[in-house]
């Protein structure tokens, strides 16, 4: 490769991790004022996973990271990025611990906080590190234990969110190789920050001496407004990216949107002009796993043959901040671990 060629980030490994405990809609309906029918028809979710007490986000991240490294057949990377809204601790970041436990040595490691858009944001950061020559190989992990920040009595949050992790290995390569990330479209609108929020525990409503109202330490979401913003932003962002990389919308084989709600995914597909059957859906089994949702959906689809080598894959996410982002690649030959 000559030194003037811009390096592309090429997908070469993919791994996922889910805690074994399954929480069904029926189980939630036993203790909350909800029903299997409401949850299925309003969200498309039938069950989600829950990490047991004592299991932290880093534990799931390490498991998914190990599998992604195995899938890529490598044991060394130059950078680890962990996208998460549920870090093990407010301080320090989770990524250094994950890198250390994976035996990756004294490499740079940082967390990416963009809530449900975190994985796409982290992919973009990793691709930038590769393009600038700062890293040849990067491990990007989306990992969450959202059940640790959802008030168990909050029926609207408890039915949606679940725990899990997904990870990819990216290596430096050429833009015309299968697996090369072909472009990104990212955005944010902080004027809508209140739509998705944990009010307490940060510098605005401080923990410690001035303890916030305990109710303010739970995750909050204004569902209906998030829904409409998510549809618009994901569709616009994905459409902008398609134009930028010159893919006609009809050429998209698989649309892998953030798995928040099946109605959102179908509405985005419709606005974009992608047939709904092309939308990859795995939220029925895992719920909304925030930053882990896209890599988990990719992992499921690739393992089941729903995504195969040569497919044009379009990803798009929307989350707190608010933030959104899209990315695209032609799927490479890959064995999911
Ligand atoms: O991951 C980051 C991005 N997140 C998202 O994209 C999530 C976006 N939002 C959504 O997916 C949906 O807004 C929800 C699934 C959260 C809620 O669905 P919705 O169709 O927007 O319901 P709603 O909040 O408008 O509530 C409709 C009704 C209300 O009752 P009334 O006021 O009509 O009597 C709620 O109280 O449904 C009620 N409700 C429930 N009923 C049974 C809300 N949650 C539940 C529940 N079970 N779990």
């Amino acid at each position: 490769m000559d030194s003037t060629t811009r390096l592309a980030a090429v997908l070469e490994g993919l791994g996922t991790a889910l805690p074994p405990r399954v929480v069904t809609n029926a189980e939630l309906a036993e203790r909350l004022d909800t029903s299997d029918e409401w949850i299925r028809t309003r969200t498309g979710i039938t069950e989600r996973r829950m990490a047991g007490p004592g299991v932290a986000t880093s534990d799931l991240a390490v498991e998914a990271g190990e599998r992604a490294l195995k899938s890529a057949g490598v044991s060394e990377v130059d950078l680890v990025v962990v996208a998460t809204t549920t870090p093990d601790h407010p301080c320090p970041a989770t990524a250094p611990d994950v890198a250390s436990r994976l035996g990756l040595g004294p490499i740079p490691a940082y967390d990416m906080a963009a809530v449900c858009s975190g994985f796409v944001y982290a992919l973009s950061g990793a691709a930038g590190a590769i393009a600038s020559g700062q890293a040849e190989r990067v491990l990007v992990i989306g990992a969450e234990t959202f059940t640790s920040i959802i008030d168990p009595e909050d029926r609207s949050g408890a039915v949606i969110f679940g725990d899990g992790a997904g990870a990819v290995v990216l290596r430096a390569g050429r833009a015309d190789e299968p697996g090369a990330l072909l472009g990104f479209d990212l955005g944010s609108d902080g004027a809508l920050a209140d739509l998705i929020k944990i009010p307490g525990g940060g510098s605005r409503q401080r923990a410690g001496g001035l303890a916030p109202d305990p109710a303010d330490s739970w995750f909050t979401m204004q569902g209906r407004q998030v829904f409409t913003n998510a549809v618009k932003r994901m569709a616009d962002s994905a459409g902008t990216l398609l134009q930028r990389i010159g893919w006609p919308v009809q050429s998209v084989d698989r649309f892998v949107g953030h798995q928040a709600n099946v109605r959102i995914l179908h509405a985005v597909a419709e606005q974009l002009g992608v047939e709904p059957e092309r939308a990859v859906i795995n939220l029925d089994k895992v719920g909304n796993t925030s930053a882990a949702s896209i890599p988990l959906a990719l992992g499921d689809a690739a393992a089941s043959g729903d995504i195969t080598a040569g497919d044009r894959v379009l990803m798009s996410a929307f989350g707190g901040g608010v933030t959104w982002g899209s990315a695209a690649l032609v799927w490479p030959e890959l064995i999911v671990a």
Side-chain angles (χ1 to χ4, degrees), residues 32-35 38-39 42-43 45 115-117 146 154-161 196 219 221-228 230-231 234 258-264 288-290 318-320:
L32 293 170
D33 182 16
T34 189
S35 65
W38 191 95
I39 302 169
R42 304 297 271 205
T43 71
I45 298 166
V115 199
C116 303
S117 312
F146 247 66
D154 166 19
R155 66 175 178 177
S156 56
V159 303
I160 300 170
F161 290 98
I196 294 173
F219 176 90
M221 179 170 76
Q222 294 176 39
R224 232 180 261 194
Q225 280 166 273
V226 171
F227 189 112
T228 47
V231 172
M234 283 165 70
H258 167 50
Q259 305 284 307
N261 187 320
V262 72
R263 293 186 293 132
I264 293 179
N288 179 343
T289 57
S290 191
F318 178 87

